[in-house]
Amino acid sequence: MHGLVNRAIECFLRDTYGVQCWARIADAAGVDPDGFETMLLYDDSVTLSVIAAASRALGKPEEDLLEDLGIYLVSHPERARLRRLMRFGGVGFEDFLHSLDDLRERGRLAVPDLDLPDLELRDEGDGRFSVTCRSRHAGFGAVLAGVLQSMADEYGALIMIERGPPVDAVTRIDISLLDRSHAAGRRFELAGDARETGAQ
Amino acid sequence: MTTRGVTLDGAGLGALMPMHLGLDSAGRICSAGSTITKVCGEGELIGLPFLEVFAVQRPRGLHDAQTLAQQAVPRLRLSLLAPPGTGFKGLSVPIARGGGALVNLSFGIGVVEAVRRHGLTERDFAPTDLAIEMLYLTESKTAVQDELRNLNRRLEGARNAAEEQALSDPLTGLRNRRAMNRALARCCADGPRFALMQIDLDHFKRVNDSHGHAAGDAVLEAVARILLEETRRGDIVARIGGDEFVIIMPGIGEYAPLHRIAERLIMRLDTPIHVGEAECCVSASIGAILSSDYAAPEPDRILRDADMLLYDAKHAGRGRIVTLEQGSERRTG
């Protein structure tokens, strides 16, 4: 698994549950509590054991934990950078949804060895959409559900999300767009200033 | 092959090319896309002579609006005459009927700066324009670069720590023999004078034998502290063997200060060291040289001589310093 993914999990656990909790989880999973390097590659089993250890330590099902991770990735102040990159997907939430088809390629443009899931959006009409998430890892579907929820807030859209169970690492997520301008949404400057992009 | 002309209304043209300018046959602006209008800032563009708004860098020598309005220019480089002087690249094609030309512009490589400067948004670019992708790439590239810089910084830190460990004695934290050799070679090569003391603890074996190795280690640590206390920050203090130490003191070129330092060291090391209940008594024998004793100081020779002088000091009854200069021992304390 790419270090960026492992590092994201690590930061999520640390920022959400505290340094000591992370240290316990790292210890249980047999990884260095100093954490992961974003630009190195790790064996997949490392990632899986961290998620399993976190789930045990926090008494929370893995899927729920991963959905929280998705929410965190877009909404936490420390992760402004990723949120900004996601915002390049489109002017409004619907544009953003349509940009999901390109997510994998966008990821590759930035980091050539980043293996993001393959997403396929279907516009079912009437403000209903479905996203099919295919990946080597079933967990990505839950993360995506959290990301979508957070991105809706980011654009000020009101949505309902239903996530199906992963079947052979394929997850289907149904989205109902109830109100595309429910709230103001966060301001987005295309060429963001240093303050906005500096946090990582 | 013939093509049929395509007729567009202003809105269509604006949607396709929000950075276009239409010129009439006299070279005056007769239509303008929404983005170029925003970028040019205050006032109405329509009706202004093109060359009163833009400076032409390429093609060179194009200073006459009519030429621009009448012939195709496949590569244009322009900049705003007014501040901030934003640059553009583009092309101009003549309009078939009625004269005049259509100029289409882009920011080229300066797009990030232009977007920031003029407060542009996604809506200011046609979906076919790769400007947004360019901004995305710029930002993601910067993020990746920052990550790599952080990684390099951490690796550099780890390397320094590893090197520090490889050059220091794990028990006392003093430099080890490798570090001492390296420092001595540097001192010899650099030229400025220096002094070197080789120190051997007297009766250390007795401490080990009667109080055990743990006490011996504690004594070595205490000795290391004393050596550091009695030397200056820039001196190199190394443990090169069991109870053998070397101190290199850059800048010392006379025997008087060398003797003063050695005598203080011997006096302090003569004081019993307490380890728990045990009172451990050691003292120090020192062989010392000055680099100025040699025409061309050379590490192996210096260490050999210092070792020989140390042997003389031990032989002469311990707790003393022998230097190359005197060739004879001097009783201390």
Side-chain angles (χ1 to χ4, degrees), chain B residues 155-205:
Chain B
L155 288 178
E156 172 75 8
R159 195 180 67 104
N160 286 345
E163 195 155 86
E164 186 66 24
Q165 271 168 14
L167 292 175
S168 64
D169 166 38
L171 176 64
T172 60
L174 297 178
R175 312 261 121 189
N176 60 14
R177 182 185 281 275
R178 249 180 76 203
M180 187 276 295
N181 280 334
R182 206 186 272 195
L184 180 58
R186 206 169 43 234
C187 284
C188 287
D190 284 357
R193 56 203 191 162
F194 63 90
L196 180 142
M197 286 199 261
Q198 180 150 355
I199 304 168
D200 191 278
L201 295 185
D202 305 318
H203 319 299
F204 181 69
K205 191 173 176 307

Side-chain angles (χ1 to χ4, degrees), chain B residues 98-115:
Chain B
L102 183 66
V103 179
N104 195 25
L105 299 178
S106 112
F107 293 111
I109 200 73
V111 63
V112 177
E113 188 52 37
V115 162

Side-chain angles (χ1 to χ4, degrees), chain B residues 112-166:
Chain B
V112 177
E113 188 52 37
V115 162
R116 180 176 298 131
R117 206 184 264 167
H118 299 287
L120 302 180
T121 72
E122 291 104 314
R123 292 180 214 271
D124 290 319
F125 294 94
T128 46
D129 194 324
L130 290 176
I132 305 299
E133 281 77 3
M134 178 91 169
L135 289 165
Y136 164 80
L137 261 183
T138 307
E139 198 159 324
S140 57
K141 184 207 71 172
T142 309
V144 168
Q145 214 163 37
D146 285 353
E147 288 299 335
L148 286 173
R149 193 174 307 120
N150 288 339
L151 173 60
N152 276 340
R153 206 166 27 226
R154 284 190 291 271
L155 288 178
E156 172 75 8
R159 195 180 67 104
N160 286 345
E163 195 155 86
E164 186 66 24
Q165 271 168 14

Side-chain angles (χ1 to χ4, degrees), chain B:
Chain B
M1 189 177 115
T2 57
T3 50
R4 283 176 47 201
V6 178
T7 313
L8 288 170
D9 60 8
L13 192 60
L16 278 173
M17 292 184 268
M19 296 227 340
H20 81 275
L21 293 161
L23 306 187
D24 66 18
S25 54
R28 273 191 299 269
I29 296 169
C30 58
S31 80
S34 57
T35 305
I36 193 69
T37 303
K38 188 170 173 180
V39 167
C40 287
E42 305 150 37
E44 183 61 57
L45 280 176
I46 309 294
L48 290 180
F50 183 80
L51 293 179
E52 282 183 20
V53 183
F54 297 98
V56 179
Q57 275 92 36
R58 272 177 64 192
R60 276 171 201 281
L62 194 155
H63 301 305
D64 137 42
Q66 263 140 354
T67 316
L68 185 63
Q70 278 157 16
Q71 66 187 44
V73 184
R75 294 241 179 273
L76 261 177
R77 262 188 189 282
L78 311 170
S79 62
L80 283 182
L81 276 170
T86 302
F88 306 93
K89 59 191 281 193
L91 77 169
S92 164
V93 294
I95 296 169
R97 259 168 297 178
L102 183 66
V103 179
N104 195 25
L105 299 178
S106 112
F107 293 111
I109 200 73
V111 63
V112 177
E113 188 52 37
V115 162
R116 180 176 298 131
R117 206 184 264 167
H118 299 287
L120 302 180
T121 72
E122 291 104 314
R123 292 180 214 271
D124 290 319
F125 294 94
T128 46
D129 194 324
L130 290 176
I132 305 299
E133 281 77 3
M134 178 91 169
L135 289 165
Y136 164 80
L137 261 183
T138 307
E139 198 159 324
S140 57
K141 184 207 71 172
T142 309
V144 168
Q145 214 163 37
D146 285 353
E147 288 299 335
L148 286 173
R149 193 174 307 120
N150 288 339
L151 173 60
N152 276 340
R153 206 166 27 226
R154 284 190 291 271
L155 288 178
E156 172 75 8
R159 195 180 67 104
N160 286 345
E163 195 155 86
E164 186 66 24
Q165 271 168 14
L167 292 175
S168 64
D169 166 38
L171 176 64
T172 60
L174 297 178
R175 312 261 121 189
N176 60 14
R177 182 185 281 275
R178 249 180 76 203
M180 187 276 295
N181 280 334
R182 206 186 272 195
L184 180 58
R186 206 169 43 234
C187 284
C188 287
D190 284 357
R193 56 203 191 162
F194 63 90
L196 180 142
M197 286 199 261
Q198 180 150 355
I199 304 168
D200 191 278
L201 295 185
D202 305 318
H203 319 299
F204 181 69
K205 191 173 176 307
R206 210 161 60 196
V207 172
N208 263 340
D209 290 347
S210 48
H211 303 292
H213 286 282
D217 284 353
V219 167
L220 290 173
E221 288 175 85
V223 168
R225 272 196 301 279
I226 291 170
L227 297 186
L228 287 174
E229 281 163 19
E230 295 301 331
T231 49
R232 302 161 307 168
R233 187 188 287 273
D235 295 342
I236 288 113
V237 182
R239 175 171 172 240
I240 59 164
D243 58 346
E244 274 184 87
F245 301 84
V246 165
I247 302 178
I248 302 172
M249 291 171 287
I252 291 188
E254 319 241 351
Y255 274 105
L258 184 57
H259 277 291
R260 274 201 301 278
I261 296 166
E263 281 159 19
R264 228 181 21 246
L265 273 177
I266 290 169
M267 194 185 69
R268 287 203 57 188
L269 293 175
D270 260 346
T271 315
I273 296 167
H274 293 274
V275 180
E277 298 287 294
E279 187 174 83
C280 304
C281 294
V282 292
S283 65
S285 296
I286 302 177
I289 60 94
L290 291 177
S291 62
S292 52
D293 292 333
Y294 305 88
E298 189 253 313
D300 287 347
R301 171 89 195 277
I302 288 175
L303 288 175
R304 211 165 46 239
D305 288 349
D307 198 48
M308 183 194 76
L309 295 166
L310 172 64
Y311 179 81
D312 288 349
K314 285 244 176 220
H315 201 67
R318 301 194 161 104
R320 63 192 67 207
I321 171 173
V322 177
T323 64
L324 199 59
E325 172 213 42
Q326 40 180 198
S328 65
E329 62 273 33
R330 182 183 287 193
R331 182 78 214 170
T332 62

Side-chain angles (χ1 to χ4, degrees), chain A:
Chain A
M1 192 75 73
H2 201 282
L4 275 169
V5 176
N6 289 356
R7 175 80 172 165
I9 297 170
E10 170 200 337
C11 289
F12 160 65
L13 292 171
R14 231 171 350 134
D15 292 345
T16 313
Y17 300 102
V19 178
Q20 285 178 357
C21 182
W22 157 250
R24 275 202 310 279
I25 292 167
D27 192 45
V31 304
D32 187 340
D34 283 348
F36 298 101
E37 288 296 347
T38 47
M39 289 295 136
L40 299 181
L41 296 176
Y42 295 87
D43 197 89
D44 286 350
S45 64
V46 175
T47 316
L48 299 178
S49 57
V50 170
I51 295 170
S55 166
R56 274 197 308 276
L58 300 165
K60 206 166 187 174
E62 290 189 9
E63 294 266 298
D64 294 0
L65 207 58
L66 291 172
E67 194 162 325
D68 289 349
L69 166 64
I71 293 172
Y72 161 89
L73 283 178
V74 179
S75 62
H76 196 275
E78 291 289 309
R79 303 272 85 74
R81 213 157 216 180
L82 180 66
R83 181 176 65 239
R84 279 191 54 81
L85 291 176
M86 297 292 281
R87 276 295 286 263
F88 279 98
V91 183
F93 186 66
E94 278 171 279
D95 291 324
F96 167 76
L97 284 180
H98 283 283
S99 80
L100 289 176
D101 288 340
D102 301 333
L103 184 86
R104 191 176 159 82
E105 280 313 307
R106 277 181 179 270
R108 282 237 173 104
L109 263 184
V111 184
D113 49 6
L114 183 60
D115 189 17
L116 289 179
D118 194 17
L119 306 182
E120 190 187 334
L121 182 87
R122 286 170 80 111
D123 189 341
E124 318 266 4
D126 246 3
R128 288 183 301 114
F129 300 85
S130 73
V131 185
T132 311
C133 172
R134 290 183 186 85
S135 161
R136 287 190 299 128
H137 305 284
F140 271 115
V143 178
L144 177 67
V147 166
L148 292 175
Q149 189 62 62
S150 267
M151 284 307 288
D153 294 343
E154 173 75 18
Y155 281 106
L158 183 65
I159 63 165
M160 285 245 303
I161 278 190
E162 226 170 301
R163 168 166 56 89
V167 179
D168 295 334
V170 178
T171 306
R172 184 188 151 115
I173 299 170
D174 289 295
I175 303 152
S176 306
L177 181 54
L178 303 177
D179 185 351
R180 62 171 62 84
S181 50
H182 171 70
R186 193 194 292 262
R187 211 178 131 75
F188 176 65
E189 301 279 352
L190 263 188
D193 58 42
R195 193 163 20 95
E196 209 181 344
T197 56
Q200 40 142 339

